[in-house]
Amino acid sequence: MVLRKINNFQVLFQRNNFIHYAIVVLNFILFLSILISCQGPQKEQEQVIISSDYKEVTNTPDILIEKLSKKIRETSGLAEFDSLIWTINDSGGGNFIYALNKNTGKIKRKIGIKKAKNHDWEALASDKEFIYIADVGNNKGNRIDLKVYKVKKKSLKAGKEEAKSETIYFNYPDQKIFYRTKRRSRFDCEAIISFGDSLVLFTKDWFTNKTRMYSIPKEPGSYEAKLLDTFNANGLITGADLSKDGKKLVLCGYSNFDPFLWIFEDFEGKDFFAGKVTRVEYPSFRDAQTEGVLFMGNDSILVSSERSPSYSQRIYYFSHSKIMEEIGK
């Protein structure tokens, strides 16, 4: 009789344990289902919801330079001064900046940047006196040494082999975790512009396909970047530039290797995303890994792409006025 009671107690205890664990598992499954339903599928692109002054157009650029030198096969950033196009290589490309003939793409100058290391150079910006080399590539998300090198344009004249640099260090205030990831970072960056007394950075967010806009001072020192705005780019942003009159901003990038441009107009100050917005897609060059963009004056837009399985390293040409004419048809 005692043994039977013990057996009954064990059965009851096991049943209660089973019910307890079943409830825990069901609650966990319910929690996950609610979480997933709130977040939605991460891999699918979000619908782009912008102001009513939004246009979308398909355009085919001209090929300005079909094949750049092998020395810049990972071209990643564009700037213009001294009637030359300037570019850099990204990670592993050495601490050099290259000046190219505007028409042929031939290298006219190769200048080493002193006190600088190419951890992952990704973008160029310039103002009247300086050029800024952004060592901001962070696709693994674990960098704690983000920086921009500031170089005097006068030190990049013909005949020079080296140029001195000063360093602007910064960090993102909202990055709290520095785990190493594989192209899942929200704090990668490949786009920078000069605006007044600030440098403005546009992130390459592998997780959400949005871009966050930050500003940092131009003076050497260590800073916490200031978050200004967020824009649903519906893709990865890899380059940025302002027109010479400061009235137009262009961003380049790609989504599943379909390249695109975003053009912003009629904005005030740094409120770039509040005005007229145009998305330009050019699917005829699918798989082009676009990396840099440059306004030549106020109409011509140049886009560089590094070497890929489908294309050589090259430069494309768009006309802003022709894009607007296409929209008006």
Side-chain angles (χ1 to χ4, degrees), residues 30-48:
L30 179 61
F31 170 76
L32 285 180
S33 65
I34 293 173
L35 183 63
I36 292 171
S37 66
C38 291
Q39 289 182 341
Q42 293 291 343
K43 292 185 179 180
E44 292 186 8
Q45 294 177 345
E46 298 181 38
Q47 182 182 1
V48 180

Side-chain angles (χ1 to χ4, degrees), residues 81 126-130 151-157:
F81 68 93
S126 66
D127 56 25
K128 290 182 179 180
E129 296 184 56
F130 298 93
V151 182
K152 288 184 177 180
K153 288 182 174 179
K154 290 181 180 179
S155 66
L156 300 174
K157 295 293 183 180

Side-chain angles (χ1 to χ4, degrees), residues 100-297:
L100 315 178
N101 180 284
K102 287 183 179 181
N103 300 312
T104 66
K106 289 185 177 180
I107 296 174
K108 306 300 290 183
R109 302 177 201 169
K110 176 186 176 184
I111 300 175
I113 306 302
K114 298 172 70 174
K115 297 183 180 180
K117 179 182 178 181
N118 186 343
H119 185 124
D120 195 359
W121 292 7
E122 289 289 357
L124 293 175
S126 66
D127 56 25
K128 290 182 179 180
E129 296 184 56
F130 298 93
I131 191 162
Y132 302 89
I133 303 171
D135 190 355
V136 295
N138 188 28
N139 58 25
K140 294 177 182 176
N142 62 341
R143 286 191 63 182
I144 56 174
D145 61 344
L146 301 172
K147 60 181 74 75
V148 178
Y149 295 111
K150 181 177 181 179
V151 182
K152 288 184 177 180
K153 288 182 174 179
K154 290 181 180 179
S155 66
L156 300 174
K157 295 293 183 180
K160 298 282 188 178
E161 293 185 357
E162 288 186 319
K164 293 180 180 179
S165 67
E166 297 178 289
T167 307
I168 304 166
Y169 299 93
F170 74 95
N171 66 279
Y172 297 110
D174 43 342
Q175 183 174 12
K176 307 300 182 183
I177 298 175
F178 294 85
Y179 295 138
R180 180 173 177 151
T181 63
K182 186 176 181 180
R183 294 184 177 178
R184 295 291 289 169
S185 172
R186 299 187 64 189
F187 297 93
D188 197 4
C189 181
E190 297 186 9
I192 184 173
I193 63 170
S194 167
F195 191 91
D197 60 358
S198 302
L199 296 173
V200 180
L201 302 101
F202 302 87
T203 61
K204 180 182 182 182
D205 191 330
W206 293 86
F207 193 70
T208 67
N209 278 336
K210 296 180 181 180
T211 186
R212 290 184 311 287
M213 181 172 67
Y214 297 85
S215 69
I216 58 174
K218 286 182 175 180
E219 295 304 313
S222 298
Y223 304 98
E224 182 174 87
K226 181 180 179 182
L227 178 61
L228 302 177
D229 206 347
T230 301
F231 178 74
N232 183 5
N234 211 27
L236 301 173
I237 296 302
T238 59
D241 198 26
L242 275 176
S243 59
K244 295 302 177 282
D245 60 10
K247 295 182 179 180
K248 294 183 282 290
L249 169 73
V250 61
L251 304 179
C252 71
Y254 50 83
S255 175
N256 297 320
F257 290 99
D258 283 322
F260 61 78
L261 300 177
W262 283 104
I263 301 174
F264 304 89
E265 304 173 73
D266 299 337
F267 49 79
E268 294 185 7
K270 295 176 186 173
D271 196 10
F272 301 119
F273 306 144
K276 179 180 176 182
V277 183
T278 304
R279 182 179 172 99
V280 183
E281 298 185 346
Y282 43 115
S284 54
F285 289 104
R286 175 174 169 76
D287 293 330
Q289 190 168 335
T290 54
E291 293 287 335
V293 65
L294 171 67
F295 254 114
M296 299 276 284

